[in-house]
Each structure stands twice: as structure tokens, then as C-alpha cells.
């Protein structure tokens, strides 16, 4: 068992330093929900299927992230507020290599 520390900036610009487990098969969207860093119903709308983009975030740190899938790329191509460093939080599993990860939640839409 290993926990990692990550920083998540919420939609109000407040940065939260939190601890995430790597042994519970959680993704970043689920971590945000478990810490209630975004209002209920505004994140994870599709349940983590890469079909809603409500979990979009901007990756601020220089971590090796999981490869972007065709589904994720297609969803981001349709989403709003997309930046070069946009990813879908539900497609980022919490693993030990992500210790120190820094992300910012994209605006709600
Ligand atoms: S929760 Fe819907 S795309 Fe991530």
C-alpha cells in the first residue's frame, strides 16, 4: 500500500494538497469527488466513461501520464475550455509514479 500526494486546484482557484491511495483503483475524478473538491453533479457525470468531459483538468506538473486513448481524445475534441495540457481525470489512474502531481480543474459547463 502506498499513498501519493497530489495538489488539486479547484474551480474557485483554491489549491488543495491531498493524499490519494494507489491501491483502491481510483482515478483522479474519483479522488476529486471523494474530497468533495467540486460540487456534486458537476464532475464525473458519465461515471468515468470518457463520455462527458466534466472531469477535464489541466495538468500543471511534468508527470508521465497514462497514454491518451482514442475515446479520451475524441471527447476532448468536443469539449469546451480545452488546453494543450487538458486531460480527462477519469482516465488517470492513481499510481505511485504520479506522486507530486499538480492539476487544476477545468471550468464547469
Ligand atoms: S467522468 Fe465523464 S469523461 Fe470523465
Amino acid at each position: 500500500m502506498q499513498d501519493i500526494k497530489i495538489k488539486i486546484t479547484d474551480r474557485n482557484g483554491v489549491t488543495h494538497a491531498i493524499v490519494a491511495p494507489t491501491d483502491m483503483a481510483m482515478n483522479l475524478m474519483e479522488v476529486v469527488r471523494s474530497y468533495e473538491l467540486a460540487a456534486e453533479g458537476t464532475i464525473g457525470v458519465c461515471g468515468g466513461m470518457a463520455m462527458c468531459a466534466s472531469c477535464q483538468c489541466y495538468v500543471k506538473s511534468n508527470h508521465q501520464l497514462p497514454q491518451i486513448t482514442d475515446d479520451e481524445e475524441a471527447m476532448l475534441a468536443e469539449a469546451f475550455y480545452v488546453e494543450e495540457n487538458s486531460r480527462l481525470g477519469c482516465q488517470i489512474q492513481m499510481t505511485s509514479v504520479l506522486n507530486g502531481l499538480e492539476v487544476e480543474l477545468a471550468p464547469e459547463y
Side-chain angles (χ1 to χ4, degrees):
M1 184 180 100
Q2 192 193 356
D3 291 339
I4 57 173
K5 292 182 177 156
I6 60 180
K7 285 187 180 166
I8 301 172
T9 302
D10 67 24
R11 290 170 175 151
N12 298 316
V14 179
T15 300
H16 306 262
I18 59 132
V19 173
T22 58
D23 61 345
M24 291 177 64
M26 284 178 96
N27 61 51
L28 183 58
M29 173 274 283
E30 292 166 332
V31 171
V32 171
R33 287 174 58 112
S34 71
Y35 279 91
E36 298 181 356
L37 301 182
E40 184 69 33
T42 68
I43 187 164
V45 175
C46 75
M49 306 290 286
M51 289 173 64
C52 73
S54 67
C55 64
Q56 185 192 168
C57 59
Y58 307 121
V59 179
K60 303 285 189 183
S61 55
N62 203 11
H63 282 73
Q64 182 77 43
L65 294 173
Q67 187 77 24
I68 196 160
T69 62
D70 289 347
D71 286 348
E72 181 178 359
E73 199 167 314
M75 190 62 245
L76 284 172
E78 293 176 16
F80 298 104
Y81 311 116
V82 173
E83 306 280 350
E84 290 247 305
N85 57 350
S86 287
R87 290 295 302 260
L88 296 179
C90 68
Q91 303 301 303
I92 300 177
Q93 290 293 323
M94 294 295 98
T95 60
S96 55
V97 296
L98 297 185
N99 193 34
L101 182 72
E102 295 181 29
V103 299
E104 178 179 353
L105 302 184
E108 182 187 348
Y109 65 87

